[in-house]
Amino acid sequence: MLSKIKEIILEVENFISEDITKVEEFRIKILGKKGLVTQFFSDFRNVPNEEKKEVGLLINELKNKALEKVNSLKDSLGNVSQELKSEDLTLPSSPIEIGSRHPLSVVHNNIVDIFSRLGFTISEGPEIEDDWHVFSALNFPEEHPARDMQDTFFIEKNPDILLRTHTSSVQVRTMEKQTPPIRTISPGRVFRNEAISARAHCIFHQIEGLYIDENVSFADLKQTLMYFAKELFGEETEIRLRPSYFPFTEPSAEMDISCKLCGGKGCNVCKYTGWVEILGCGMVDPNVLKQNNIDPEKYTGFAFGMGVERISMLKYGIKDLRLFFENDLRFLKQFKPAL
Ligand code: DAH
């Protein structure tokens, strides 16, 4: 009998149901007039004297636990059904606000998507960098102005440590880790010691591109960038490349696209030229390849770098760069939902 009672106590402890009729059936089985507790009490007479105390205590424990369980289950189920009764279930539910993607994320995703289709992988590097990866390995001469305190955030205690001023540093990290063919883009945050204005910020985002293989030519660079510009800004977009200078590319160029806002006719965004600059690019300087143990006799490559804020401003006609960082919902809500 002892073990039978213990078994039922276990059953009570484990019983759970959300169905009020099942709970009631359970109550009748254990606590009903002809239930188990009543039965155990009537069998009590036959229990030998020396066991009476223990058995009696156990039957009482079973009774109390069963009562407690049934009451608490009935309470919780009863409350739910009362709540339901007091509410008009035909009313429409309260609206769920759907968030939207930040415009920088929308444009970042678009750009990553376009280059993924061309077989570019994604690589990342640290935001806190050293002089080698940001400047030296990229052929910046000692006296280059970018190495100046006025342009770069350095760590006071150790001038070798700085916040990266461009994502070109990830090019170097990629060349250290991989051997050609390399085809990768590196999106990320960059930092410059600039006064914040409608056109400049001390924190912004860049996407860097790097392609190294045998026989990579300037024509490959141009074709890749033309495809990119048309995919991002529309089929009718035209590009032009102007000679420029970067320490890590030779030759170097800046790329303009035909102004989206005026269709090339001239407006204040393109300063009445019909063209707006969107990125810097060029053929990787043989010195940079050499510095990174890649044979410049065997391999050539191209690189490019663009600012995500600048491209977003052109794509959406946003006039003030600070809007990206202020998190004003009236601004953010204008962009595509996150779905
Ligand atoms: N790192 C340059 C900047 O921050 C952008 C850039 C220009 C990157 C030319 C490149 C490149 O890879 O080839 O202004």
Side-chain angles (χ1 to χ4, degrees), residues 166 168 171 192 206 208 246 248-249 280-282 303-305:
H166 55 183
S168 305
Q171 279 191 23
R192 288 190 196 172
Q206 284 189 337
E208 186 79 15
F246 299 100
F248 39 92
T249 43
C281 60
F304 55 86

Side-chain angles (χ1 to χ4, degrees), residues 138 140 165-169 171 190 192 204 206-210 245-246 248-249 251-254 279-284 302-306:
L138 289 166
F140 277 79
T165 54
H166 55 183
T167 41
S168 305
S169 54
Q171 279 191 23
V190 299
R192 288 190 196 172
F204 55 102
Q206 284 189 337
I207 296 185
E208 186 79 15
L210 178 69
Y245 173 76
F246 299 100
F248 39 92
T249 43
S252 305
E254 277 174 320
L279 54 81
C281 60
M283 299 305 290
V284 180
F302 66 69
F304 55 86
M306 62 188 93

Side-chain angles (χ1 to χ4, degrees), residues 5 13 22 27 29 37 56-57 63 69 121 140 182 188 215 225 234 277 291 294 327 334:
I5 302 172
E13 283 170 350
K22 292 241 168 68
R27 188 193 67 79
K29 175 178 152 195
V37 170
L57 281 172
K63 188 176 154 190
K69 182 59 137 270
T121 58
F140 277 79
I182 294 171
N215 302 319
L225 293 180
E277 187 226 309
Q291 298 257 46
I294 294 176
N327 287 333
Q334 301 173 74

Side-chain angles (χ1 to χ4, degrees), residues 127 149-154 162-166 188-206 309 320-322 324-325:
E127 292 171 359
M149 281 291 194
Q150 264 130 37
D151 293 300
T152 305
F153 290 114
F154 290 91
L162 46 112
L163 295 181
R164 67 179 178 196
T165 54
H166 55 183
R189 211 177 279 148
V190 299
F191 309 84
R192 288 190 196 172
N193 194 359
E194 301 245 11
I196 297 170
S197 71
R199 304 181 60 95
H201 209 289
C202 54
I203 303 177
F204 55 102
H205 300 80
Q206 284 189 337
E309 279 77 2
D320 192 326
L321 194 142
R322 289 169 292 199
F324 290 124
F325 302 99

